[in-house]
Amino acid sequence: MNALMVAAVLLVLVALAYQVGLVRSRRVAGDAPDVRMHSRPGYHGLLAVLRAAVPAAVVYVVWRAVGGPLIDGMVLGSIPVDQLPAEAFQRQALLQRITNLASGFGVLGDAKGFEQAAAETMARLQGTGQAIVAAAMATAAAAGLAWTWRSTTPATRARNQVERAVQIALIACSTVAILTTVGIVLSMLGEALNFFRIVSPADFFFGTTWNPRFQTVDGAAQTGFGMLPLMAGTLMIAGIAMLVAVPLGLMTAIYLSEYAPTPRAPGSSPSSRCWPASRPSSTASSPWSRSALSSTGWATCWGWRSVPRRRSPPAS
């Protein structure tokens, strides 16, 4: 049972569960036309997917995490003690040879008798494990579908449960992203501390030579790691880019906001006569740009009409 087959089975299970939830909710609504359903049929279908497909996927993930080491341990236990290597890496190499024999890839040289027997044991255990996992996934999915079929009522809060599940999934994704960022920062911090044990921080931050070379003899200090040349080059490139981009971008924004005519084609719609996408948002949000917007006919172009201010009558 490879990953592609499992993905296809889960997709079929998702479609089946959604249809079961949809049909059940519509049948319940038809049986009680005077009672208003709390959630729409689509939410009942999504709830059925959560109850059927998610447990089946969890069963498969647990098997992928636990089944491999369990089978490897049973295979190593079936090998005679006198043929089992003492070192851990030698056991891993032997286990890889047995895995190749069990999968039919073959190995270099002639396989020994105990390796052939271990490969047969591994193939048998893998087949048994896949059958057990398939049965467990089918049982979990069937239990979820039966639960959905029996518990669907007009008062079932399917929308709340689906939204809660989506919220939990988003929180989990955010947590993974945060933990990944923290791990990256910690790994960089550890490498930075190791680097500054070799290179002096003063030489790195205030050195004027960038020619990194590690010396491995005489215990001499490492030189050529000055950061100032890199900083100077970065600032020079940024300054040249700003000299070109700032005047050109500012002039373009002022022209488009204050002086460019509004193109009006005969018979065109208001949306085609306007060009709001070319106007910078920074200039559009300023007070003088809003005044220019109304004075050049933008309000009329977009269907806005200025309402004259009502003046109070003169005092008698």
Side-chain angles (χ1 to χ4, degrees):
M1 184 185 297
N2 53 20
L4 183 61
M5 183 182 300
V6 173
V9 170
L10 288 178
L11 287 177
V12 173
L13 182 59
V14 165
L16 177 61
Y18 185 83
Q19 290 299 321
V20 169
L22 205 66
V23 170
R24 180 58 178 170
S25 64
R26 289 174 177 174
R27 180 174 297 182
V28 170
D31 294 340
D34 298 335
V35 181
R36 183 178 178 180
M37 298 287 290
H38 177 272
S39 304
R40 295 181 178 273
Y43 284 105
H44 287 278
L46 293 176
L47 182 60
V49 170
L50 292 176
R51 291 176 175 177
V54 173
V58 170
V59 169
Y60 178 75
V61 170
V62 171
W63 168 252
R64 293 288 296 180
V66 178
L70 182 61
I71 292 177
D72 292 345
M74 296 176 67
V75 169
L76 290 177
S78 65
I79 298 176
V81 179
D82 55 344
Q83 300 292 339
L84 194 63
E87 299 294 335
F89 71 93
Q90 293 179 351
R91 291 187 180 184
Q92 290 297 327
L94 176 60
L95 192 60
Q96 185 61 42
R97 285 177 58 87
I98 295 172
T99 303
N100 292 337
L101 289 173
S103 58
F105 289 142
V107 293
L108 295 176
D110 296 331
K112 300 179 181 179
F114 74 92
E115 291 178 345
Q116 292 287 354
E120 294 175 359
T121 302
M122 177 177 285
R124 184 176 64 256
L125 291 175
Q126 287 177 349
T128 304
Q130 291 177 1
I132 294 174
V133 170
M137 292 175 63
T139 303
L145 292 178
W147 181 21
T148 301
W149 190 269
R150 293 176 60 87
S151 63
T152 301
T153 61
T156 302
R157 298 179 177 270
R159 178 174 61 85
N160 300 74
Q161 298 182 35
V162 171
E163 290 178 352
R164 189 180 300 111
V166 172
Q167 183 180 10
I168 292 173
L170 293 178
I171 292 174
C173 294
S174 302
T175 304
V176 170
I178 293 172
L179 293 179
T180 302
T181 305
V182 171
I184 293 173
V185 172
L186 292 179
S187 63
M188 293 180 62
L189 181 61
E191 293 298 327
L193 293 177
N194 293 331
F195 174 77
F196 285 122
R197 289 193 184 99
I198 302 174
V199 179
S200 173
D203 294 339
F204 177 74
F205 288 107
F206 302 105
T208 58
T209 302
W210 179 254
N211 187 18
R213 294 179 181 179
F214 285 99
Q215 299 178 4
T216 58
V217 295
D218 298 335
Q222 308 297 328
T223 58
F225 288 91
M227 189 184 69
L228 292 182
L230 300 179
M231 186 65 67
T234 302
L235 293 177
M236 181 182 65
I237 294 174
I240 295 174
M242 290 178 65
L243 287 176
V244 176
V246 171
L248 184 61
L250 184 60
M251 295 298 179
T252 304
I254 294 174
Y255 173 76
L256 292 177
S257 177
E258 304 295 340
Y259 301 104
T262 303
R264 295 170 178 261
S268 60
S269 61
S271 60
S272 63
R273 295 198 303 266
C274 302
W275 32 273
S278 61
R279 299 179 67 253
S281 59
S282 59
T283 58
S285 61
S286 58
W288 51 85
S289 298
R290 288 196 293 269
S291 63
L293 180 68
S294 58
S295 63
T296 54
W298 276 73
T300 306
C301 175
W302 281 97
W304 301 336
R305 296 183 180 179
S306 58
V307 180
R309 193 188 331 181
R310 181 179 297 176
R311 297 181 179 180
S312 59
S316 57

